[in-house]
Amino acid sequence: MDYTRYYLGALLQLAVIAGFFVGGAWVFIGIASLPAFGLIDSMLPNDMKPRRISNKTLADIPVWLCSLLGPAIYIAAAFWVARNPGAPAWQYVGVITSCAWMSVIPVVPATHELYHQRGKLRRLVGRYCQICYLDATREIAHVVGHHIDVATSKDGDTAPRGTSLYAFTPRAVIVSTREAWGSESDNLEKMGKGRWSIGHRIYRAILAQIIFQAIIFAIGGWTAVAVTIAGMIGARFWVESFNYFQHYGLVRIEGAPIGKRHVWNHLKPLSRIMGFEITNHADHHTNSFAAFHELVPDRDWIPMPSVYVCFFSALIPPLWHHKVIMPALKRWDNEMATPAEREVAREQNRRAGWPDWFDGTPATDGRLAAA
C-alpha cells in the first residue's frame, strides 16, 4: 500500500482525460473531485504513520506520471474543443475548472518533488511541467526565497495574521513572480552578465509556453488556446492560495533557525497522498532534499484539519479565522513561540484586531521541544 497509494493522483488524471473524450457532464470529473475528496478526507482520522518505502525508483513512478499527465490533460481539453464545436457554456466551465484544479492537485506537489531533488532531468521536467499553471520559473523563488525566509516578514508565502485569502492570493502571485525573476537577474549579474541577458530563465519559460500553446492551437484552434489559458490562469491563483494554509500567521525571527514548528501540517490521508506528502510539511522545511516518502509526520504538531477543509473554510474569512486558525495560533503562541516570536505575534494580533491571548508564562526549553 505504501507504494500504490500515490497512484491515486494519476488515476484521477486519467479519469479526467477520459471524461474529456466522453464529453457531456463527464468533463466535470476533475473539479468534482475537490468537494468529494474534501468530504472524505475530513471524515478520516489523521495518518501519522511514516512510509515504508525503500526503492526510490519505484516510489518516483507516480511522481513522474502526475507531472507529465498535467500537460496531457490540457492536450485532452484541446481535443475536446475540436470535437465539440458549439458545446454549451456549462461544459466549457467544466473543462476549464477541471484543468485548473488538476493543475493544482496533483501537478503542483509532483513537480515540487521533482525540482527539489538532485538530477538535471528531474529538475528540467519539474520546471517545465509547471507551464500548467503559468509559472515555469516558480522553483527559483521557492527554493532560494521561501525555504530561507519562511515564517518571516520577508516571506511572501506566509500570510500575516488578519489577512484574508482574497487579499493574500493576488499579492502572492505578484510577489512570487517578482522574487523569481529578480533572483534570476541577481544570479546573472553575479556571473558578469546583464540582468536581463539571453540566459535569463524567463525567456525559456516563455518559449516553453509558446511551443505548448502552438500544439494546443494545432489541435483545437484559438478556442482551445483560450480554454487552456483560462485554466492556467485559474490554476496560477489557486496554487498561491495553498501556501496560505500551510504558513498562515506563523512567526520566526529573521536569521533564526528554521524549526518544525514554523510550518503547519495537514496529516489527513488524502491530503498526504494527493499532495505527495507536501502537507507533511515540517520535515520538508528542515530537510528540503528529503524525498516525499522519507518525510516523517511531526507528532508534536498542533492539529490542523484536512487541507481541503482549510480551503473551503478560508472562502468564508470569519469561519477560517475564528474556527480554524485563531485557536491553532493561540496554542502556538503560548506553547511553541520564543519570547521574541511572541512579541512579533502580539503586534500582528493587535494590528489584526485579535485578542491578546498570551498567558504570561515564559517559554521554556521543554515547551520548545518541537522546534
Side-chain angles (χ1 to χ4, degrees):
M1 278 295 292
D2 281 354
Y3 285 95
T4 58
R5 71 181 71 212
Y6 295 102
Y7 284 90
L8 180 60
L11 290 174
L12 176 59
Q13 289 173 302
L14 291 172
V16 171
I17 291 171
F20 286 171
F21 280 98
V22 172
W26 294 105
V27 299
F28 282 87
I29 289 177
I31 190 61
S33 71
L34 171 57
F37 280 25
L39 180 62
I40 295 169
D41 206 32
S42 66
M43 294 188 296
L44 294 173
N46 290 317
D47 179 5
M48 305 299 293
K49 295 180 181 178
R51 301 300 184 228
R52 296 180 179 179
I53 291 178
S54 57
N55 190 315
K56 182 175 174 57
T57 300
L58 290 178
D60 275 348
I61 293 174
V63 175
W64 284 88
L65 282 174
C66 287
S67 296
L68 295 171
L69 284 171
I73 285 175
Y74 282 98
I75 291 173
F79 277 110
W80 177 86
V81 171
R83 291 166 48 136
N84 294 274
W90 64 268
Q91 291 187 21
Y92 278 94
V93 171
V95 172
I96 291 170
T97 54
S98 287
C99 284
W101 176 240
M102 288 294 95
S103 298
V104 181
I105 299 292
V107 173
V108 168
T111 56
H112 171 270
E113 179 66 19
L114 288 179
Y115 68 65
H116 255 292
Q117 302 301 312
R118 296 176 175 89
K120 290 184 178 180
L121 181 60
R122 296 172 64 90
R123 292 189 174 187
L124 181 73
V125 173
R127 178 179 305 137
Y128 289 109
C129 283
Q130 294 178 112
I131 59 173
C132 293
Y133 44 94
L134 293 178
D135 199 6
T137 60
R138 181 177 186 80
E139 81 282 2
I140 305 174
H142 180 81
V143 174
V144 303
H146 172 61
H147 270 265
I148 295 172
D149 299 327
V150 64
T152 70
S153 59
K154 293 178 63 176
D155 183 31
D157 289 346
T158 302
R161 302 176 187 201
T163 307
S164 73
L165 179 64
Y166 304 104
F168 169 81
T169 301
R171 181 180 181 276
V173 171
I174 295 170
V175 170
S176 65
T177 303
R178 185 178 64 220
E179 287 182 350
W181 297 359
S183 179
E184 177 71 356
S185 293
D186 291 344
N187 187 52
L188 288 170
E189 196 170 57
K190 290 176 182 177
M191 294 189 293
K193 300 179 181 179
R195 290 184 61 80
W196 295 97
S197 65
I198 195 64
H200 202 293
R201 280 161 54 179
I202 183 58
Y203 304 128
R204 282 172 276 174
I206 293 171
L207 179 60
Q209 190 62 244
I210 290 172
I211 292 172
F212 187 68
Q213 293 302 332
I215 295 170
I216 296 295
F217 176 81
I219 296 169
W222 287 113
T223 302
V225 171
V227 166
T228 57
I229 291 294
M232 290 174 177
I233 291 173
R236 180 73 176 88
F237 282 83
W238 223 332
V239 168
E240 296 297 348
S241 74
F242 273 76
N243 281 317
Y244 183 81
F245 317 122
Q246 295 199 285
H247 302 284
Y248 188 98
L250 292 171
V251 173
R252 181 174 65 91
I253 304 304
E254 188 176 337
I258 298 172
K260 292 182 178 182
R261 62 196 173 87
H262 289 123
V263 298
W264 297 117
N265 299 294
H266 306 269
L267 300 176
K268 294 287 187 175
L270 289 179
S271 295
R272 289 184 63 182
I273 293 169
M274 295 301 291
F276 285 104
E277 302 294 335
I278 199 172
T279 64
N280 186 1
H281 214 41
D283 255 11
H284 174 63
H285 267 275
T286 52
N287 182 8
S288 62
F289 283 111
F292 74 96
H293 53 85
E294 296 173 339
L295 303 178
V296 178
D298 178 17
R299 292 186 174 274
D300 294 316
W301 67 313
I302 294 171
M304 292 288 282
S306 162
V307 72
Y308 295 93
V309 171
C310 287
F311 170 72
F312 284 114
S313 65
L315 295 177
I316 308 173
L319 178 63
W320 161 254
H321 284 133
H322 293 285
K323 298 298 182 181
V324 179
I325 200 62
M326 288 174 69
L329 282 169
K330 181 178 180 180
R331 282 194 58 187
W332 191 88
D333 288 347
N334 286 299
E335 297 176 21
M336 293 185 171
T338 65
E341 289 169 344
R342 286 186 180 187
E343 289 307 308
V344 175
R346 177 178 276 114
E347 177 59 21
Q348 283 198 20
N349 284 359
R350 186 190 65 78
R351 291 181 181 179
W354 290 6
D356 189 321
W357 51 47
F358 297 85
D359 62 12
T361 305
T364 65
D365 291 342
R367 296 174 77 190
L368 291 174

